[in-house]
Amino acid sequence: MRKIWLLGGVAALVAVPVIAAEMAPGKTIVRSEVEGKVKEHFAEVDANHDGAITPEEMRAMREHKRADSLDAHFKRLDTDGNGSISRAEFNAGHAAMGPMVEPPMAHGGEGHGPGPGGPMGGMHGMGGMMMFQQADANKDGKVTLAEATAGALRLFDMVDTNKDGSVTPDERRGFRDQMRAQWKGKRGG
């Protein structure tokens, strides 16, 4: 499971309902859980505890989580724990991942360009900064807990199509499919 939740900083704060499936597959999410997750993650990203998250704090959190992820990956491959990866360890680690699959873009599909499925969309790169700017309601270059919560709940309400205060896996799937269709329409197909 990819850890998109922690990689996106504030972007993740406002996208909680969409990515909740990665945190709790098959689980219905209620508004209070979203508020709790936003508060929890906000405290983690707000490194100087001043009540606001800056783009620099987002980048620092992303870099920290990326370093942790790379370290964990290295440790998984370094099965004998000697601090280096032999060809045999490398091959075994990649064999355990299953057959290599070409990225969807190799066949004209989606998934690696700008937009919800690729590294430039969603929680990564430019998409993360766009979400930061959207969450920054007063445009002061930082996002407060109130702004992050408001953004997350706005998105939650969009995904909660029957307005019952909870988002089901079916509602998340429907919202994701709707966003993909809009994205495909914007890029011409």
Side-chain angles (χ1 to χ4, degrees):
M1 177 170 90
R2 295 182 312 167
K3 299 292 183 189
I4 293 175
W5 166 248
L6 293 174
L7 295 177
V10 173
L13 297 175
V14 297
V16 169
V18 175
I19 62 172
E22 297 216 12
M23 297 179 335
K27 182 177 183 282
T28 295
I29 307 296
V30 297
R31 265 179 148 254
S32 61
E33 288 177 289
V34 171
E35 290 173 302
K37 285 292 183 187
V38 169
K39 187 174 185 177
E40 177 185 312
H41 189 61
F42 189 93
E44 185 178 348
V45 178
D46 183 15
N48 63 3
H49 308 291
D50 68 349
I53 294 175
T54 64
E56 293 78 21
E57 286 173 311
M58 283 180 52
R59 278 189 285 278
M61 173 59 75
R62 247 191 328 265
E63 289 169 14
H64 175 73
K65 294 300 176 182
R66 184 173 189 277
D68 285 352
S69 177
L70 289 173
D71 187 51
H73 183 64
F74 183 90
K75 287 178 181 175
R76 276 192 305 276
L77 293 176
D78 182 21
T79 56
D80 64 8
N82 70 353
S84 62
I85 299 171
S86 68
R87 174 51 81 177
E89 288 171 317
F90 180 84
N91 290 342
H94 285 277
M97 293 186 330
M100 294 300 285
V101 177
E102 286 188 54
M105 289 304 288
H107 301 290
E110 63 182 74
H112 293 328
M120 294 302 288
M123 303 307 109
H124 307 288
M126 296 291 291
M129 285 312 298
M130 288 187 325
M131 288 182 125
F132 180 91
Q133 291 167 351
Q134 288 173 351
D136 182 10
N138 65 1
K139 305 303 178 209
D140 64 353
K142 52 190 171 190
V143 175
T144 64
L145 178 58
E147 288 173 319
T149 302
L153 292 178
R154 237 184 342 271
L155 184 55
F156 181 92
D157 291 341
M158 287 172 55
V159 179
D160 182 15
T161 54
N162 66 1
K163 306 302 178 206
D164 68 351
S166 63
V167 171
T168 65
D170 287 339
E171 286 173 314
R172 282 194 302 270
R173 238 182 328 279
F175 184 75
R176 183 192 63 227
D177 292 346
Q178 178 186 357
M179 293 294 98
R180 282 184 178 161
Q182 286 178 6
W183 180 68
K184 282 181 180 180
K186 285 181 183 177
R187 62 180 266 246

